[in-house]
Amino acid sequence: MSNWSWDIFLEAFPYVLEGLGITIGLTIACYLFALVFGFIWTFVRRIPIKLIRWVLLWIMEFIRSTPPLVQLFFIYYAWPMVPGIGMTLSPFTSAVLGLGIHYSTYIGEVYRSGIDSVDKGQWEASRALNFSTGKKWTKIILPQAIPPTIPMLGNYLIIMFKEVPLASTIGVVGILQMANNFGAENWRYLEPLTIVAILFLILSYPSAILINKLERKMNRRFDKKAPTGSKPISKAEATG
Amino acid sequence: MDAIVDVFPVLIKGVEITIKVLLASIVLGYLMAFIAGFCRLSNNVILRKITGFYVEIFRGTSLIVQLFWLYYALPILFGIEIGSDFWAGVLAISLNYGAYMSEIVRSSILSVAKGQSEAATALNMSRFQRMRLVIFPQAVRMMLPEFGNYLILMLKSTSLVSLIGMTDILYYGDILRSSDLSQAPTVYLLVLVFYFIIALPFIWLTKKMESASKKGVASQ
């Protein structure tokens, strides 16, 4: 432990902390994007034309099973070079698109599990009451499908937070990039990288506990069957 | 088409490293998952606390930070070299996912009905026999679907090792891109396709594992 220096630790701390705003801001932006975009995948599954549904579901599988890091590079470096539709995007926007789209495929599955757990009688009732398709979804199905998935969605917020440092590779200056900068300037990586790890722990651990509590509360409230995907909590905590 | 012909042979040089890192991480990761999962169920308080600490640290921070920490910080802190970037990458991935998967091991074992263990006790089985013959076989089946998902997550995370200079698929992709930016769309699309092709058997395996775990179990 002889190489640890508290002086450098204290010097690096405020420096690294400057990136925290960007890290949190990017987390929230990516998360909101994924929440909205996730609905698209949910409805893709309900497209009545088999061929289109099949193609779109394979695209989803493709996005899910390939590394988000490569997707980030694709959007940041390759997208501007695509003839016709390409345009240059800032690192921040690229990260929102890349991580947002990647995680939207997971969020879409969460919505699906919520919708699948809505009782069949509710669909039949809305049909019997002659509800329009729009009304059926907004008044009957979604209000029952989404609340039980809130803990799972919360888990994805924590996952997103832990994935956001990937964006440092395309130049988003969050805490990890600040630590790297500090390391490059002072030739000390140990302390700044440890600070980054500590910051992640401080922020994500209490949130995980909070979400566990929320989950228990929700389970009591909707104590019928929880949505199918929610049983092993750890599933939703998987990172990519 | 010409571009693809140029790019393909370069990228394929990285496949070997990607697969090596992946296989080593899978083996070590599952090993870690079972060791940590069982340790957290142990009667020994110290063992339980230490494993709990390990699991929370690795689940609470992000993989890329762990990778950089193992690669840049650990050698300075203790003056030890991990030996190679290969082991830094494999260790980061397997310790990270081992921590996540240990929770699956633990929760699956805990969710085997209590009557099973009571029945085994009534049959005069020892603690070890109970676990080996009664509890564990039932728990493994519950672990399967989740374990399948983690295969794909581990594959995706192997792309991070290019950041510590390992010559995997993405590394060669980055080299091609920096030599000719206009090739970037072909390069990265092809890199994604490479990963997807490697992922296909794992996607198939995951589905197999899911159906295996459902077989012979009454649905609620």
Side-chain angles (χ1 to χ4, degrees):
Chain A
M1 297 288 262
S2 55
N3 293 311
W4 178 268
S5 154
W6 284 105
D7 288 340
I8 293 180
F9 180 87
L10 290 177
E11 194 190 327
F13 196 81
Y15 189 92
V16 172
L17 209 59
E18 272 175 51
L20 192 61
I22 297 273
T23 299
I24 291 178
L26 184 58
T27 308
I28 293 170
C30 291
Y31 185 62
L32 291 179
F33 188 91
L35 281 184
V36 174
F37 212 78
F39 272 109
I40 293 178
W41 301 117
T42 313
F43 286 100
V44 157
R45 285 189 183 275
R46 303 188 164 269
I47 293 174
I49 304 156
K50 208 176 166 197
L51 181 74
I52 298 179
R53 188 176 64 220
W54 189 83
V55 169
L56 287 172
L57 284 181
W58 270 105
I59 292 177
M60 186 179 105
E61 192 69 62
F62 185 88
I63 297 173
R64 257 170 96 94
S65 348
T66 50
L69 183 62
V70 185
Q71 291 165 8
L72 275 184
F73 286 176
F74 181 85
I75 289 177
Y76 186 65
Y77 294 113
W79 190 247
M81 298 295 153
V82 177
I85 43 171
M87 56 179 128
T88 308
L89 299 166
S90 74
F92 192 89
T93 319
S94 309
V96 172
L97 280 177
L99 294 174
I101 293 175
H102 187 88
Y103 280 93
S104 72
T105 60
Y106 287 89
I107 301 266
E109 290 294 286
V110 174
Y111 291 151
R112 183 172 72 113
S113 72
I115 291 169
D116 285 352
S117 70
V118 173
D119 195 82
K120 211 174 138 217
Q122 301 290 325
W123 299 83
E124 290 163 356
S126 53
R127 169 173 257 189
L129 292 168
N130 199 23
F131 273 45
S132 67
T133 310
K135 267 216 163 131
K136 178 177 81 187
W137 282 101
T138 54
K139 300 276 178 198
I140 311 266
I141 306 299
L142 290 181
Q144 298 182 75
I146 300 305
T149 63
I150 288 173
M152 271 197 281
L153 293 176
N155 266 332
Y156 274 105
L157 178 61
I158 302 177
I159 292 168
M160 194 65 98
F161 177 58
K162 285 183 279 185
E163 285 297 291
V164 153
L166 284 183
S168 72
T169 55
I170 55 168
V172 176
V173 193
I175 45 177
L176 181 60
Q177 188 57 35
M178 287 308 261
N180 282 336
N181 291 349
F182 186 91
E185 281 169 30
N186 303 283
W187 278 106
R188 289 295 292 203
Y189 283 95
L190 171 60
E191 290 83 3
L193 282 175
T194 310
I195 292 168
V196 174
I198 293 172
L199 284 176
F200 271 102
L201 267 181
I202 292 177
L203 288 163
S204 73
Y205 190 60
S207 340
I209 292 173
L210 209 71
I211 283 172
N212 260 336
K213 276 212 177 108
L214 185 70
E215 177 146 32
R216 245 171 281 150
K217 216 175 181 177
M218 288 293 211
N219 279 346
R220 241 174 286 140
R221 194 165 145 200
F222 306 97
D223 72 341
K224 36 170 192 143
K225 43 181 185 188
T228 41
S230 76
K231 235 202 221 148
I233 303 155
S234 52
K235 172 175 190 175
E237 288 180 21
T239 44
Chain B
M1 265 334 261
D2 278 356
I4 293 180
V5 174
D6 288 344
V7 167
F8 190 86
V10 181
L11 291 182
I12 212 154
K13 286 193 281 183
V15 171
E16 192 192 334
I17 291 284
T18 296
I19 292 195
K20 268 187 189 161
V21 172
L22 176 63
L23 292 180
S25 305
I26 288 174
V27 172
L28 262 180
Y30 283 150
L31 195 69
M32 210 54 221
F34 281 109
I35 293 174
F38 279 115
C39 282
R40 288 200 87 184
L41 294 168
S42 139
N43 286 334
N44 186 332
V45 184
I46 300 169
L47 201 59
R48 234 172 28 225
K49 284 264 168 350
I50 292 176
T51 333
F53 183 71
Y54 149 70
V55 171
E56 294 308 341
I57 292 277
F58 276 86
R59 289 189 343 151
T61 55
S62 55
L63 177 57
I64 184 173
V65 177
Q66 291 156 20
L67 179 70
F68 284 180
W69 201 88
L70 281 177
Y71 188 69
Y72 294 111
L74 189 70
I76 312 173
L77 186 57
F78 296 112
I80 46 165
E81 292 287 335
I82 292 179
S84 65
D85 40 10
F86 178 80
W87 286 109
V90 169
L91 268 181
I93 296 170
S94 53
L95 286 176
N96 180 278
Y97 287 107
Y100 281 103
M101 292 190 293
S102 76
E103 287 290 281
I104 298 169
V105 172
R106 187 176 72 110
S107 65
S108 302
I109 289 175
L110 285 178
S111 67
V112 173
K114 216 172 156 227
Q116 297 287 327
S117 134
E118 287 166 354
T121 312
L123 291 168
N124 199 23
M125 286 183 174
S126 69
R127 197 175 135 86
F128 181 66
Q129 277 176 322
R130 279 203 305 263
M131 183 52 81
R132 184 170 67 93
L133 299 169
V134 180
I135 312 287
F136 192 64
Q138 298 182 62
V140 164
R141 128 179 306 188
M142 284 186 253
M143 298 171 198
L144 285 181
E146 288 293 309
F147 272 11
N149 289 329
Y150 276 97
L151 288 174
I152 294 162
L153 290 175
M154 280 193 266
L155 166 64
K156 290 195 289 184
S157 66
T158 60
S159 64
L160 291 179
V161 298
S162 67
L163 300 175
I164 56 169
M166 287 192 70
T167 52
D168 72 340
I169 303 173
L170 180 57
Y171 178 88
Y172 283 108
D174 284 342
I175 287 193
L176 283 170
R177 180 256 304 162
S178 52
S179 66
D180 181 4
L181 193 58
S182 67
Q183 269 195 334
T186 328
V187 170
Y188 285 120
L189 206 59
L190 215 56
V191 171
L192 287 170
V193 170
F194 267 82
Y195 278 105
F196 189 58
I197 290 171
I198 302 175
L200 281 175
F202 292 112
I203 295 173
W204 176 81
L205 195 66
T206 305
K207 295 217 165 103
K208 266 268 176 284
M209 283 160 109
E210 247 164 50
S211 59
S213 80
K214 278 194 197 117
K215 212 159 129 196
V217 179
S219 55
Q220 301 113 336

